[in-house]
Amino acid sequence: MTKTYERLQKCLECVRQVTDFVPRIGLVLGSGLGDYASQISVEATLDYHDIEGFPVSTVPGHAGRFIFGTVADVPVVCMQGRVHYYEGYTMEDVVLPIRLMKMMGADILMLTNAAGGVNETYNAGDFMMITDQISSFVPSPLAGPNAEELGERFPDMSEIYDRQLKERIRAAADRLGISLREGVYLQASGPNFESPAEIRFFSGIGADAVGMSTAVEAIAARHAGMRVGGISLISNPAAGLSKTPLTHEEVQEAADMASHKFSQLISSVIKEIGGIN
Ligand code: HPA
């Protein structure tokens, strides 16, 4: 057994000591969805701290947890708090929770985040369905010995974001009358925001939004055979596209302002995708 898989199995054992819950969908809650738990009929929760071998932040109170429950009768496991590369973790650590959700039984992954708008037509508060991604500026989460139990050495990435999920996400937004952009997400390493020159460069190579998570999670999920969907909340125009310097507070405030609409959209998406085969 590979080391990666052995570690995951230990994590899974910790989960199974708390709950037998088998999710259909793994949902990663980004900024703006921190309170999403109120939309879930919660059956169990598990703090990351209580999972042996799980990468947890050493900052007290910042660890996060899994929430197990149903949204419109669809069994979901939510990550309230994700693991970021900029915190100093290896990419293998960063994607461990994604792989663990797959091992719990989730075959669909819905990724959400707050992101900077690189596309000049985007405004703060817009939602963007992720259609493709650029992860070339961060290490691959698959580097190192391949975890054969999870997937192949050289997985295809020609359609990371699932076609059927994209259709359902469009339909969910439509039904709510929420307008949805569609674009390419680029993962930068963070924790610093980008320079205006970097944003011009990212725009030139086809990015519409920039953030510090998500793309590597999508790669690990595809490697393990999950179907992936993604939605970004555009929290700010990226560096150089507005007159004011960027702050974490601005990102957080925009995310909080959009949180009600974001929650509605995600619930509607889960209803739409919960029954697909
Ligand atoms: N850059 C990178 N990550 C982000 C941004 C940004 O402008 N906004 C929210 N997350």
Side-chain angles (χ1 to χ4, degrees), residues 99-143:
R99 291 169 159 169
L100 183 56
M101 292 194 289
K102 158 80 188 198
M103 287 169 68
M104 292 175 195
D107 64 346
I108 296 174
L109 179 67
M110 265 306 302
L111 295 165
T112 69
N113 60 53
V118 173
N119 186 315
E120 291 193 31
T121 69
Y122 288 7
N123 301 305
D126 286 353
F127 293 104
M128 183 192 88
M129 180 173 77
I130 306 175
T131 55
D132 201 353
Q133 67 181 36
I134 297 169
S135 65
S136 316
F137 303 101
V138 292
S140 170
L142 309 182

mmCIF file of all heavy atoms in Angstrom, residues 99-143:
data_model
loop_
_atom_site.group_PDB
_atom_site.id
_atom_site.type_symbol
_atom_site.label_atom_id
_atom_site.label_comp_id
_atom_site.label_asym_id
_atom_site.label_seq_id
_atom_site.Cartn_x
_atom_site.Cartn_y
_atom_site.Cartn_z
ATOM 1 N N ARG A 99 -9.425 13.745 -1.188
ATOM 2 C CA ARG A 99 -9.310 12.294 -1.358
ATOM 3 C C ARG A 99 -10.092 11.552 -0.285
ATOM 4 O O ARG A 99 -10.698 10.516 -0.535
ATOM 5 C CB ARG A 99 -7.823 11.913 -1.307
ATOM 6 C CG ARG A 99 -7.075 12.429 -2.521
ATOM 7 C CD ARG A 99 -5.578 12.308 -2.373
ATOM 8 N NE ARG A 99 -4.908 12.330 -3.668
ATOM 9 C CZ ARG A 99 -3.604 12.459 -3.833
ATOM 10 N NH1 ARG A 99 -2.804 12.580 -2.777
ATOM 11 N NH2 ARG A 99 -3.087 12.464 -5.042
ATOM 12 N N LEU A 100 -10.072 12.120 0.914
ATOM 13 C CA LEU A 100 -10.801 11.489 2.020
ATOM 14 C C LEU A 100 -12.311 11.509 1.755
ATOM 15 O O LEU A 100 -13.008 10.524 2.018
ATOM 16 C CB LEU A 100 -10.454 12.211 3.326
ATOM 17 C CG LEU A 100 -11.045 11.661 4.616
ATOM 18 C CD1 LEU A 100 -10.698 10.185 4.820
ATOM 19 C CD2 LEU A 100 -10.565 12.491 5.819
ATOM 20 N N MET A 101 -12.810 12.607 1.212
ATOM 21 C CA MET A 101 -14.250 12.684 0.905
ATOM 22 C C MET A 101 -14.619 11.651 -0.154
ATOM 23 O O MET A 101 -15.694 11.055 -0.097
ATOM 24 C CB MET A 101 -14.640 14.104 0.471
ATOM 25 C CG MET A 101 -14.542 15.112 1.603
ATOM 26 S SD MET A 101 -15.345 16.693 1.262
ATOM 27 C CE MET A 101 -14.240 17.383 0.046
ATOM 28 N N LYS A 102 -13.714 11.448 -1.108
ATOM 29 C CA LYS A 102 -13.945 10.398 -2.114
ATOM 30 C C LYS A 102 -14.020 9.030 -1.431
ATOM 31 O O LYS A 102 -14.892 8.216 -1.713
ATOM 32 C CB LYS A 102 -12.826 10.456 -3.154
ATOM 33 C CG LYS A 102 -12.591 9.203 -3.944
ATOM 34 C CD LYS A 102 -13.579 9.020 -5.084
ATOM 35 C CE LYS A 102 -13.388 7.646 -5.699
ATOM 36 N NZ LYS A 102 -13.923 7.447 -6.982
ATOM 37 N N MET A 103 -13.111 8.805 -0.480
ATOM 38 C CA MET A 103 -13.103 7.499 0.206
ATOM 39 C C MET A 103 -14.319 7.316 1.116
ATOM 40 O O MET A 103 -14.728 6.192 1.400
ATOM 41 C CB MET A 103 -11.791 7.311 0.971
ATOM 42 C CG MET A 103 -10.627 7.042 0.009
ATOM 43 S SD MET A 103 -8.996 7.121 0.776
ATOM 44 C CE MET A 103 -9.011 5.693 1.844
ATOM 45 N N MET A 104 -14.896 8.434 1.561
ATOM 46 C CA MET A 104 -16.151 8.337 2.337
ATOM 47 C C MET A 104 -17.303 7.898 1.444
ATOM 48 O O MET A 104 -18.332 7.423 1.933
ATOM 49 C CB MET A 104 -16.510 9.707 2.938
ATOM 50 C CG MET A 104 -15.589 10.219 4.017
ATOM 51 S SD MET A 104 -16.136 11.917 4.438
ATOM 52 C CE MET A 104 -14.706 12.503 5.342
ATOM 53 N N GLY A 105 -17.146 8.118 0.131
ATOM 54 C CA GLY A 105 -18.200 7.702 -0.800
ATOM 55 C C GLY A 105 -18.645 8.763 -1.794
ATOM 56 O O GLY A 105 -19.449 8.483 -2.677
ATOM 57 N N ALA A 106 -18.140 9.990 -1.643
ATOM 58 C CA ALA A 106 -18.582 11.069 -2.543
ATOM 59 C C ALA A 106 -17.989 10.864 -3.940
ATOM 60 O O ALA A 106 -16.776 10.735 -4.080
ATOM 61 C CB ALA A 106 -18.155 12.425 -1.980
ATOM 62 N N ASP A 107 -18.849 10.831 -4.949
ATOM 63 C CA ASP A 107 -18.315 10.718 -6.315
ATOM 64 C C ASP A 107 -18.437 12.032 -7.082
ATOM 65 O O ASP A 107 -18.024 12.132 -8.230
ATOM 66 C CB ASP A 107 -18.959 9.554 -7.082
ATOM 67 C CG ASP A 107 -20.444 9.738 -7.308
ATOM 68 O OD1 ASP A 107 -21.046 10.614 -6.661
ATOM 69 O OD2 ASP A 107 -21.008 9.011 -8.145
ATOM 70 N N ILE A 108 -19.029 13.038 -6.428
ATOM 71 C CA ILE A 108 -19.123 14.375 -7.023
ATOM 72 C C ILE A 108 -18.470 15.358 -6.063
ATOM 73 O O ILE A 108 -18.657 15.265 -4.847
ATOM 74 C CB ILE A 108 -20.599 14.782 -7.230
ATOM 75 C CG1 ILE A 108 -21.281 13.855 -8.248
ATOM 76 C CG2 ILE A 108 -20.709 16.236 -7.679
ATOM 77 C CD1 ILE A 108 -22.779 14.109 -8.399
ATOM 78 N N LEU A 109 -17.716 16.295 -6.615
ATOM 79 C CA LEU A 109 -17.090 17.341 -5.795
ATOM 80 C C LEU A 109 -17.549 18.707 -6.291
ATOM 81 O O LEU A 109 -17.404 19.022 -7.471
ATOM 82 C CB LEU A 109 -15.561 17.249 -5.898
ATOM 83 C CG LEU A 109 -14.782 18.301 -5.094
ATOM 84 C CD1 LEU A 109 -14.956 18.084 -3.586
ATOM 85 C CD2 LEU A 109 -13.290 18.273 -5.453
ATOM 86 N N MET A 110 -18.117 19.509 -5.381
ATOM 87 C CA MET A 110 -18.478 20.884 -5.725
ATOM 88 C C MET A 110 -17.515 21.815 -4.999
ATOM 89 O O MET A 110 -17.473 21.835 -3.776
ATOM 90 C CB MET A 110 -19.909 21.204 -5.258
ATOM 91 C CG MET A 110 -20.993 21.020 -6.304
ATOM 92 S SD MET A 110 -20.693 21.924 -7.860
ATOM 93 C CE MET A 110 -20.568 23.591 -7.263
ATOM 94 N N LEU A 111 -16.778 22.572 -5.780
ATOM 95 C CA LEU A 111 -15.785 23.481 -5.217
ATOM 96 C C LEU A 111 -16.306 24.914 -5.260
ATOM 97 O O LEU A 111 -16.859 25.337 -6.283
ATOM 98 C CB LEU A 111 -14.494 23.383 -6.030
ATOM 99 C CG LEU A 111 -13.786 22.025 -5.974
ATOM 100 C CD1 LEU A 111 -12.734 21.911 -7.072
ATOM 101 C CD2 LEU A 111 -13.159 21.822 -4.602
ATOM 102 N N THR A 112 -16.145 25.632 -4.162
ATOM 103 C CA THR A 112 -16.519 27.051 -4.160
ATOM 104 C C THR A 112 -15.364 27.862 -3.582
ATOM 105 O O THR A 112 -14.545 27.343 -2.820
ATOM 106 C CB THR A 112 -17.799 27.319 -3.326
ATOM 107 O OG1 THR A 112 -17.518 27.116 -1.936
ATOM 108 C CG2 THR A 112 -18.944 26.415 -3.750
ATOM 109 N N ASN A 113 -15.318 29.109 -3.972
ATOM 110 C CA ASN A 113 -14.255 29.988 -3.465
ATOM 111 C C ASN A 113 -14.617 31.444 -3.700
ATOM 112 O O ASN A 113 -15.565 31.743 -4.423
ATOM 113 C CB ASN A 113 -12.916 29.666 -4.165
ATOM 114 C CG ASN A 113 -12.990 29.851 -5.661
ATOM 115 O OD1 ASN A 113 -13.397 30.905 -6.139
ATOM 116 N ND2 ASN A 113 -12.619 28.839 -6.422
ATOM 117 N N ALA A 114 -13.846 32.332 -3.088
ATOM 118 C CA ALA A 114 -13.870 33.747 -3.451
ATOM 119 C C ALA A 114 -12.641 33.979 -4.317
ATOM 120 O O ALA A 114 -11.583 33.399 -4.063
ATOM 121 C CB ALA A 114 -13.823 34.611 -2.209
ATOM 122 N N ALA A 115 -12.801 34.780 -5.357
ATOM 123 C CA ALA A 115 -11.690 34.982 -6.285
ATOM 124 C C ALA A 115 -11.667 36.424 -6.768
ATOM 125 O O ALA A 115 -12.692 37.120 -6.742
ATOM 126 C CB ALA A 115 -11.834 34.031 -7.475
ATOM 127 N N GLY A 116 -10.504 36.850 -7.211
ATOM 128 C CA GLY A 116 -10.375 38.176 -7.802
ATOM 129 C C GLY A 116 -10.768 38.112 -9.269
ATOM 130 O O GLY A 116 -10.461 37.141 -9.965
ATOM 131 N N GLY A 117 -11.442 39.145 -9.741
ATOM 132 C CA GLY A 117 -11.830 39.194 -11.150
ATOM 133 C C GLY A 117 -10.667 39.686 -12.009
ATOM 134 O O GLY A 117 -10.169 40.795 -11.830
ATOM 135 N N VAL A 118 -10.216 38.834 -12.913
ATOM 136 C CA VAL A 118 -9.157 39.197 -13.852
ATOM 137 C C VAL A 118 -9.798 39.760 -15.124
ATOM 138 O O VAL A 118 -9.308 40.715 -15.732
ATOM 139 C CB VAL A 118 -8.285 37.958 -14.191
ATOM 140 C CG1 VAL A 118 -7.279 38.267 -15.289
ATOM 141 C CG2 VAL A 118 -7.577 37.456 -12.931
ATOM 142 N N ASN A 119 -10.911 39.165 -15.496
ATOM 143 C CA ASN A 119 -11.692 39.645 -16.639
ATOM 144 C C ASN A 119 -12.240 41.042 -16.294
ATOM 145 O O ASN A 119 -12.912 41.220 -15.275
ATOM 146 C CB ASN A 119 -12.834 38.656 -16.884
ATOM 147 C CG ASN A 119 -13.620 38.979 -18.115
ATOM 148 O OD1 ASN A 119 -13.966 40.138 -18.363
ATOM 149 N ND2 ASN A 119 -13.919 37.962 -18.902
ATOM 150 N N GLU A 120 -11.940 42.011 -17.146
ATOM 151 C CA GLU A 120 -12.287 43.398 -16.821
ATOM 152 C C GLU A 120 -13.781 43.663 -16.793
ATOM 153 O O GLU A 120 -14.224 44.690 -16.278
ATOM 154 C CB GLU A 120 -11.615 44.352 -17.821
ATOM 155 C CG GLU A 120 -10.113 44.380 -17.652
ATOM 156 C CD GLU A 120 -9.460 45.535 -18.401
ATOM 157 O OE1 GLU A 120 -10.092 46.602 -18.545
ATOM 158 O OE2 GLU A 120 -8.310 45.341 -18.852
ATOM 159 N N THR A 121 -14.562 42.766 -17.365
ATOM 160 C CA THR A 121 -16.019 42.983 -17.363
ATOM 161 C C THR A 121 -16.666 42.470 -16.081
ATOM 162 O O THR A 121 -17.857 42.661 -15.866
ATOM 163 C CB THR A 121 -16.704 42.294 -18.572
ATOM 164 O OG1 THR A 121 -16.640 40.870 -18.396
ATOM 165 C CG2 THR A 121 -16.027 42.673 -19.887
ATOM 166 N N TYR A 122 -15.893 41.804 -15.224
ATOM 167 C CA TYR A 122 -16.456 41.246 -13.987
ATOM 168 C C TYR A 122 -16.548 42.313 -12.899
ATOM 169 O O TYR A 122 -15.696 43.190 -12.786
ATOM 170 C CB TYR A 122 -15.590 40.098 -13.451
ATOM 171 C CG TYR A 122 -15.649 38.814 -14.250
ATOM 172 C CD1 TYR A 122 -16.316 38.731 -15.467
ATOM 173 C CD2 TYR A 122 -15.022 37.662 -13.772
ATOM 174 C CE1 TYR A 122 -16.347 37.541 -16.185
ATOM 175 C CE2 TYR A 122 -15.057 36.471 -14.481
ATOM 176 C CZ TYR A 122 -15.718 36.417 -15.695
ATOM 177 O OH TYR A 122 -15.745 35.249 -16.396
ATOM 178 N N ASN A 123 -17.602 42.194 -12.074
ATOM 179 C CA ASN A 123 -17.776 43.106 -10.945
ATOM 180 C C ASN A 123 -17.763 42.319 -9.637
ATOM 181 O O ASN A 123 -18.115 41.129 -9.625
ATOM 182 C CB ASN A 123 -19.133 43.822 -11.053
ATOM 183 C CG ASN A 123 -19.248 44.607 -12.340
ATOM 184 O OD1 ASN A 123 -18.404 45.450 -12.633
ATOM 185 N ND2 ASN A 123 -20.270 44.302 -13.133
ATOM 186 N N ALA A 124 -17.404 43.011 -8.561
ATOM 187 C CA ALA A 124 -17.493 42.388 -7.238
ATOM 188 C C ALA A 124 -18.937 41.958 -7.015
ATOM 189 O O ALA A 124 -19.870 42.711 -7.316
ATOM 190 C CB ALA A 124 -17.050 43.369 -6.169
ATOM 191 N N GLY A 125 -19.118 40.753 -6.523
ATOM 192 C CA GLY A 125 -20.468 40.232 -6.283
ATOM 193 C C GLY A 125 -20.963 39.309 -7.385
ATOM 194 O O GLY A 125 -21.976 38.635 -7.216
ATOM 195 N N ASP A 126 -20.249 39.266 -8.508
ATOM 196 C CA ASP A 126 -20.629 38.334 -9.587
ATOM 197 C C ASP A 126 -20.319 36.899 -9.186
ATOM 198 O O ASP A 126 -19.394 36.647 -8.407
ATOM 199 C CB ASP A 126 -19.820 38.623 -10.875
ATOM 200 C CG ASP A 126 -20.294 39.878 -11.595
ATOM 201 O OD1 ASP A 126 -21.312 40.459 -11.184
ATOM 202 O OD2 ASP A 126 -19.619 40.269 -12.576
ATOM 203 N N PHE A 127 -21.069 35.962 -9.787
ATOM 204 C CA PHE A 127 -20.735 34.547 -9.648
ATOM 205 C C PHE A 127 -20.188 34.039 -10.970
ATOM 206 O O PHE A 127 -20.667 34.425 -12.032
ATOM 207 C CB PHE A 127 -21.975 33.730 -9.262
ATOM 208 C CG PHE A 127 -22.484 34.054 -7.893
ATOM 209 C CD1 PHE A 127 -23.617 34.837 -7.721
ATOM 210 C CD2 PHE A 127 -21.810 33.606 -6.766
ATOM 211 C CE1 PHE A 127 -24.076 35.157 -6.447
ATOM 212 C CE2 PHE A 127 -22.260 33.914 -5.498
ATOM 213 C CZ PHE A 127 -23.397 34.694 -5.337
ATOM 214 N N MET A 128 -19.174 33.215 -10.898
ATOM 215 C CA MET A 128 -18.579 32.651 -12.114
ATOM 216 C C MET A 128 -18.531 31.133 -11.996
ATOM 217 O O MET A 128 -17.921 30.592 -11.079
ATOM 218 C CB MET A 128 -17.152 33.185 -12.307
ATOM 219 C CG MET A 128 -16.482 32.703 -13.596
ATOM 220 S SD MET A 128 -14.701 33.037 -13.656
ATOM 221 C CE MET A 128 -14.042 31.557 -12.870
ATOM 222 N N MET A 129 -19.181 30.456 -12.943
ATOM 223 C CA MET A 129 -19.008 29.011 -13.011
ATOM 224 C C MET A 129 -17.647 28.733 -13.643
ATOM 225 O O MET A 129 -17.305 29.309 -14.678
ATOM 226 C CB MET A 129 -20.113 28.376 -13.859
ATOM 227 C CG MET A 129 -19.953 26.863 -13.950
ATOM 228 S SD MET A 129 -21.335 26.081 -14.773
ATOM 229 C CE MET A 129 -20.953 26.459 -16.480
ATOM 230 N N ILE A 130 -16.883 27.866 -12.994
ATOM 231 C CA ILE A 130 -15.546 27.555 -13.509
ATOM 232 C C ILE A 130 -15.688 26.554 -14.653
ATOM 233 O O ILE A 130 -16.282 25.487 -14.485
ATOM 234 C CB ILE A 130 -14.639 26.984 -12.393
ATOM 235 C CG1 ILE A 130 -14.598 27.944 -11.189
ATOM 236 C CG2 ILE A 130 -13.233 26.737 -12.935
ATOM 237 C CD1 ILE A 130 -13.810 27.398 -9.991
ATOM 238 N N THR A 131 -15.155 26.915 -15.813
ATOM 239 C CA THR A 131 -15.244 26.029 -16.979
ATOM 240 C C THR A 131 -13.926 25.307 -17.241
ATOM 241 O O THR A 131 -13.899 24.269 -17.895
ATOM 242 C CB THR A 131 -15.623 26.812 -18.237
ATOM 243 O OG1 THR A 131 -14.679 27.875 -18.417
ATOM 244 C CG2 THR A 131 -17.026 27.399 -18.121
ATOM 245 N N ASP A 132 -12.834 25.899 -16.768
ATOM 246 C CA ASP A 132 -11.516 25.281 -16.922
ATOM 247 C C ASP A 132 -10.564 26.025 -15.983
ATOM 248 O O ASP A 132 -10.982 26.982 -15.313
ATOM 249 C CB ASP A 132 -11.042 25.383 -18.385
ATOM 250 C CG ASP A 132 -9.966 24.337 -18.732
ATOM 251 O OD1 ASP A 132 -9.492 23.624 -17.824
ATOM 252 O OD2 ASP A 132 -9.581 24.272 -19.909
ATOM 253 N N GLN A 133 -9.335 25.596 -15.910
ATOM 254 C CA GLN A 133 -8.436 26.191 -14.920
ATOM 255 C C GLN A 133 -6.988 26.200 -15.395
ATOM 256 O O GLN A 133 -6.603 25.458 -16.294
ATOM 257 C CB GLN A 133 -8.537 25.417 -13.607
ATOM 258 C CG GLN A 133 -8.009 23.992 -13.712
ATOM 259 C CD GLN A 133 -8.143 23.233 -12.400
ATOM 260 O OE1 GLN A 133 -9.108 23.401 -11.655
ATOM 261 N NE2 GLN A 133 -7.160 22.405 -12.093
ATOM 262 N N ILE A 134 -6.194 27.054 -14.736
ATOM 263 C CA ILE A 134 -4.746 27.106 -14.960
ATOM 264 C C ILE A 134 -4.080 26.915 -13.597
ATOM 265 O O ILE A 134 -4.333 27.695 -12.668
ATOM 266 C CB ILE A 134 -4.322 28.457 -15.575
ATOM 267 C CG1 ILE A 134 -4.964 28.640 -16.962
ATOM 268 C CG2 ILE A 134 -2.793 28.565 -15.666
ATOM 269 C CD1 ILE A 134 -4.837 30.039 -17.550
ATOM 270 N N SER A 135 -3.247 25.877 -13.483
ATOM 271 C CA SER A 135 -2.591 25.609 -12.196
ATOM 272 C C SER A 135 -1.077 25.594 -12.372
ATOM 273 O O SER A 135 -0.359 25.098 -11.502
ATOM 274 C CB SER A 135 -3.066 24.268 -11.622
ATOM 275 O OG SER A 135 -2.656 23.215 -12.475
ATOM 276 N N SER A 136 -0.615 26.144 -13.481
ATOM 277 C CA SER A 136 0.804 26.041 -13.848
ATOM 278 C C SER A 136 1.748 26.809 -12.913
ATOM 279 O O SER A 136 2.955 26.649 -13.020
ATOM 280 C CB SER A 136 1.003 26.547 -15.273
ATOM 281 O OG SER A 136 0.001 26.040 -16.116
ATOM 282 N N PHE A 137 1.207 27.621 -12.031
ATOM 283 C CA PHE A 137 2.068 28.426 -11.157
ATOM 284 C C PHE A 137 2.185 27.860 -9.751
ATOM 285 O O PHE A 137 2.781 28.478 -8.870
ATOM 286 C CB PHE A 137 1.563 29.878 -11.122
ATOM 287 C CG PHE A 137 1.505 30.483 -12.494
ATOM 288 C CD1 PHE A 137 0.303 30.582 -13.175
ATOM 289 C CD2 PHE A 137 2.667 30.894 -13.134
ATOM 290 C CE1 PHE A 137 0.244 31.095 -14.456
ATOM 291 C CE2 PHE A 137 2.626 31.403 -14.420
ATOM 292 C CZ PHE A 137 1.419 31.511 -15.092
ATOM 293 N N VAL A 138 1.581 26.722 -9.527
ATOM 294 C CA VAL A 138 1.727 26.015 -8.242
ATOM 295 C C VAL A 138 2.106 24.567 -8.544
ATOM 296 O O VAL A 138 1.811 24.056 -9.625
ATOM 297 C CB VAL A 138 0.430 26.073 -7.391
ATOM 298 C CG1 VAL A 138 0.154 27.485 -6.901
ATOM 299 C CG2 VAL A 138 -0.770 25.525 -8.161
ATOM 300 N N PRO A 139 2.756 23.888 -7.594
ATOM 301 C CA PRO A 139 3.143 22.493 -7.847
ATOM 302 C C PRO A 139 1.908 21.602 -8.026
ATOM 303 O O PRO A 139 0.852 21.877 -7.459
ATOM 304 C CB PRO A 139 3.895 22.082 -6.577
ATOM 305 C CG PRO A 139 4.236 23.347 -5.866
ATOM 306 C CD PRO A 139 3.200 24.351 -6.257
ATOM 307 N N SER A 140 2.078 20.528 -8.784
ATOM 308 C CA SER A 140 0.973 19.571 -8.927
ATOM 309 C C SER A 140 0.791 18.811 -7.613
ATOM 310 O O SER A 140 1.760 18.403 -6.983
ATOM 311 C CB SER A 140 1.270 18.569 -10.039
ATOM 312 O OG SER A 140 0.312 17.531 -9.999
ATOM 313 N N PRO A 141 -0.463 18.582 -7.225
ATOM 314 C CA PRO A 141 -0.711 17.779 -6.023
ATOM 315 C C PRO A 141 -0.405 16.298 -6.259
ATOM 316 O O PRO A 141 -0.422 15.519 -5.319
ATOM 317 C CB PRO A 141 -2.213 17.986 -5.776
ATOM 318 C CG PRO A 141 -2.780 18.250 -7.129
ATOM 319 C CD PRO A 141 -1.720 19.020 -7.871
ATOM 320 N N LEU A 142 -0.129 15.934 -7.498
ATOM 321 C CA LEU A 142 0.135 14.529 -7.834
ATOM 322 C C LEU A 142 1.628 14.219 -7.913
ATOM 323 O O LEU A 142 2.008 13.083 -8.205
ATOM 324 C CB LEU A 142 -0.544 14.160 -9.157
ATOM 325 C CG LEU A 142 -2.029 14.504 -9.287
ATOM 326 C CD1 LEU A 142 -2.570 14.043 -10.634
ATOM 327 C CD2 LEU A 142 -2.827 13.875 -8.148
ATOM 328 N N ALA A 143 2.484 15.238 -7.659
ATOM 329 C CA ALA A 143 3.934 15.013 -7.702
ATOM 330 C C ALA A 143 4.327 14.041 -6.598
ATOM 331 O O ALA A 143 3.720 14.022 -5.530
ATOM 332 C CB ALA A 143 4.680 16.330 -7.546
#
